[in-house]
Amino acid sequence: MEFLNGLLNELMSGDRPLLSFLFFLNIILLVLSRPIIGLIAPNQDNKTKVKLAQSLNILVLGFQIIDFALRRSFVDYDGGYLVNLGISLMVIYTGIFLYSLSGTFTRRRFGKTRNLDDKTLYIETYNSRLINILLLAVIVLTVIYSLIKVWGADSLLETTGIFGIFIAFLAFTSAIWAPDIVSGLIILNSEMIVDGDVVILEGHADEFIIARVTLIYVVLYDVRNNHRTLLRNTQFIQGRIDNLSRIASSDGIRQALKYNIGYPEFSEDPELREAELAAFQKNIGDMFTRSFEACDANNAIKVNRSKPFEWAMTNAGDYALEYTLWVYLDRIPNTKITATIRSYLMGAMYKINENVYAASVIEGVDLSTPDLVNARLTGADTPQ
């Protein structure tokens, strides 16, 4: 009790205003850490960030209490080291806080709004990212300067000091981080890719949802495998990117299904062959028309109901006739939920394929590719 009374008397006396301010500031931040972080990063899971912030506040408070105990216990203890360490942590904390806060406000002021999963989100743009980079440089230099002043190492401010080393470090490592920053600015400046878009990357068969475009990397959600993927910005834009959320017309996403249908048998009479060919082609058309009508009647199949299926014979092969069916899927909603995207893309195509098969059975069209064998008769096999 005597120890606590002594600590409170020192804090309330005003003899050491900086320590008193630091002590009460940490108590306030410890209590208000959750709403403060919620203000900086709204609509996010901030449990880890809150715990880190609270741990830092408790650590700084612990440094101050230990420093007070050492000063009371040891006359020769001149103090300062633990207090300076606590102040240094608070300087770094303040720098991170200001950068996060400025990022939130720049997105609101210079970014764009987008409705995603029934929520209004502010996404980065080229202008907001440029401002963030400038603010980051200013905040980093200010934090370094403040740390030097806290520890009284003014000699580091000389040309051969910490700033010179910092600038040299940036110059020698620019080949590592600079291309990713430039690539990130290119992504944002194109305005073709934003959070929530569904894309297909060259060299990757799976579809991805853009989860987040950062300064250095891009976070993706794999739609088919339901896991997260991280790519550097330079890797992300090094190849072709197909954006399925930005369609070229209002018809929807155009997809193709291919079917191999065996050659029909025709009679020797030319007039009968013409009628048989017309009947065969009619059965093919009726099969695809019937499949569209079945899809149109099922609201769970995400097709554009105002755009009927299209089909054509695209190849006359050795074993079968190849027919290609083109379908138009509904516009993909703005969401980061992989299950929703799967229902619009994979689920719709599987259901369409199933309806085509059902229609082929009804219309009497065999979708199996016949295996033709050309049997040559030898002399020994020639019938007598």
Side-chain angles (χ1 to χ4, degrees):
M1 182 64 68
E2 182 181 353
F3 177 82
L4 293 177
N5 290 332
L7 178 60
L8 291 175
N9 290 333
E10 180 178 284
L11 294 173
M12 300 299 294
S13 63
D15 295 336
R16 308 181 74 180
L18 179 60
L19 295 183
S20 301
F21 172 76
L22 187 63
F23 187 86
F24 290 112
L25 176 64
N26 273 276
I27 293 178
I28 294 173
L29 293 177
L30 182 61
V31 175
L32 300 178
S33 58
R34 191 176 301 277
I36 290 175
I37 294 178
L39 175 66
I40 297 175
N43 302 323
Q44 295 184 20
D45 186 7
N46 297 319
K47 294 181 180 179
T48 303
K49 295 179 182 178
V50 171
K51 290 181 179 179
L52 288 175
Q54 291 175 342
S55 300
L56 179 62
N57 296 137
I58 294 173
L59 184 62
V60 174
L61 290 172
F63 284 153
Q64 287 189 270
I65 295 173
I66 294 173
D67 177 78
F68 175 76
L70 291 174
R71 282 190 285 105
R72 286 177 60 92
S73 303
F74 301 98
V75 180
D76 297 335
Y77 178 74
D78 55 358
Y81 296 106
L82 291 177
V83 174
N84 287 345
L85 185 57
I87 295 174
S88 300
L89 290 177
M90 289 305 298
V91 168
I92 297 174
Y93 179 97
T94 304
I96 297 174
F97 173 79
L98 290 177
Y99 177 70
S100 301
L101 186 63
S102 64
T104 300
F105 281 107
T106 53
R107 281 195 299 272
R108 289 177 179 270
R109 177 64 179 83
F110 301 99
K112 288 186 176 181
T113 59
R114 188 180 192 191
N115 292 323
L116 199 63
D117 296 327
D118 298 328
K119 297 179 181 178
T120 301
L121 299 180
Y122 295 90
I123 58 177
E124 293 276 10
T125 61
Y126 180 79
N127 294 331
S128 65
R129 182 56 56 81
L130 274 181
I131 295 173
N132 283 340
I133 293 174
L134 293 176
L135 290 174
L136 177 62
V138 173
I139 291 173
V140 169
L141 293 176
T142 304
V143 168
I144 294 175
Y145 179 80
S146 301
L147 293 175
I148 292 173
K149 286 297 184 180
V150 168
W151 292 96
D154 293 343
S155 60
L156 295 177
L157 296 175
E158 299 175 359
T159 306
T160 57
I162 187 65
F163 280 107
I165 296 174
F166 181 70
I167 294 173
F169 172 79
L170 293 179
F172 282 114
T173 59
S174 60
I176 299 174
W177 51 265
D180 290 312
I181 293 178
V182 174
S183 299
L185 292 175
I186 292 173
I187 294 172
L188 295 174
N189 188 49
S190 67
E191 297 185 353
M192 279 292 296
I193 298 173
V194 297
D195 292 2
D197 283 354
V198 180
V199 298
I200 298 177
L201 306 181
E202 185 177 359
H204 298 78
D206 296 347
E207 297 82 1
F208 297 95
I209 301 174
I210 304 295
R212 187 183 178 193
V213 180
T214 69
L215 200 64
I216 303 296
Y217 58 87
V218 179
V219 179
L220 307 170
Y221 294 161
D222 193 313
V223 175
R224 292 179 183 266
N225 299 320
N226 210 30
H227 61 240
R228 301 191 183 197
T229 302
L230 187 143
L231 286 177
R232 293 176 56 181
N233 288 338
T234 50
Q235 295 175 313
F236 181 72
I237 66 171
Q238 68 181 0
R240 169 177 168 174
I241 303 174
D242 294 327
N243 192 336
L244 302 184
S245 298
R246 305 291 183 95
I247 56 179
S249 70
S250 59
D251 293 338
I253 302 174
R254 192 169 188 257
Q255 300 279 36
L257 291 170
K258 296 182 182 296
Y259 299 94
N260 291 328
I261 300 174
Y263 284 90
E265 295 182 0
F266 296 112
S267 60
E268 296 182 357
D269 189 344
E271 294 183 358
L272 290 177
R273 284 202 301 268
E274 184 177 356
E276 291 168 350
L277 176 60
F280 172 75
Q281 292 175 336
K282 182 179 183 299
N283 288 339
I284 298 295
D286 291 343
M287 176 185 68
F288 290 134
T289 301
R290 183 183 293 271
S291 63
F292 172 75
E293 292 173 351
C295 293
D296 186 25
N298 190 347
N299 292 328
I301 303 177
K302 309 300 183 180
V303 296
N304 185 355
R305 285 159 174 76
S306 62
K307 188 68 176 178
F309 293 166
E310 301 172 355
W311 60 88
M313 190 185 75
T314 53
N315 187 22
D318 293 334
Y319 294 94
L321 299 172
E322 181 188 81
Y323 277 83
T324 301
L325 175 69
W326 290 279
V327 301
Y328 293 87
L329 304 181
D330 267 348
R331 181 187 292 270
I332 297 176
N334 295 330
T335 181
K336 290 185 180 180
I337 302 175
T338 55
T340 302
I341 301 301
R342 283 196 296 270
S343 68
Y344 272 78
L345 294 179
M346 300 85 191
M349 296 303 293
Y350 296 153
K351 290 295 184 181
I352 292 171
N353 202 29
E354 185 177 332
N355 283 316
V356 170
Y357 171 71
S360 72
V361 174
I362 296 173
E363 297 295 336
V365 178
D366 189 1
L367 298 181
S368 62
T369 304
D371 188 8
L372 303 182
V373 178
N374 185 11
R376 295 184 178 181
L377 299 178
T378 62
D381 298 328
T382 302
Q384 302 296 326

